[in-house]
Amino acid sequence: NVGSRVNMKGWTLADLNGNLYVFPDFVLEVNAGVRIHSDTGFDTGADLYWGRTSSVWDANDTATLKDRSGVVVDSYTVRK
């Protein structure tokens, strides 16, 4: 995050197959990042867990981050 701090509650991260992660009440601080893990674990200030039993991202899949209004903030295509 190179902008101002942001509460990401309600933001989404989705792939091309319709898998959807909805952010909990989570504040992303300035100059910080967060990793979204597909598996289970305990959320921290730098790591959030989706709670899935299998991986989401496949080769050539695209992760799309949208804010709570549904506006695309960023996307990334997985290259393997």
Side-chain angles (χ1 to χ4, degrees), residues 1-74:
N1 181 19
V2 294
S4 59
R5 81 191 295 255
V6 61
N7 187 328
M8 297 185 73
K9 182 177 183 177
W11 286 42
T12 60
L13 183 63
D15 72 351
L16 296 174
N17 296 312
N19 294 299
L20 182 71
Y21 175 80
V22 180
F23 282 80
D25 191 5
F26 174 80
V27 175
L28 184 60
E29 299 293 342
V30 176
N31 296 320
V34 61
R35 288 178 296 247
I36 310 299
H37 301 270
S38 296
D39 58 352
T40 59
F42 296 99
D43 293 346
T44 69
D47 295 278
L48 298 174
Y49 292 84
W50 200 323
R52 297 177 49 92
T53 56
S54 61
S55 179
V56 173
W57 313 111
D58 301 318
N60 299 315
D61 201 356
T62 298
T64 302
L65 177 67
K66 294 182 181 179
D67 67 15
R68 69 179 58 95
S69 298
V71 175
V72 174
V73 175
D74 202 359

Side-chain angles (χ1 to χ4, degrees), residues 58-62 76-80:
D58 301 318
N60 299 315
D61 201 356
T62 298
Y76 175 80
T77 299
V78 178
R79 303 286 183 214
K80 290 186 180 180

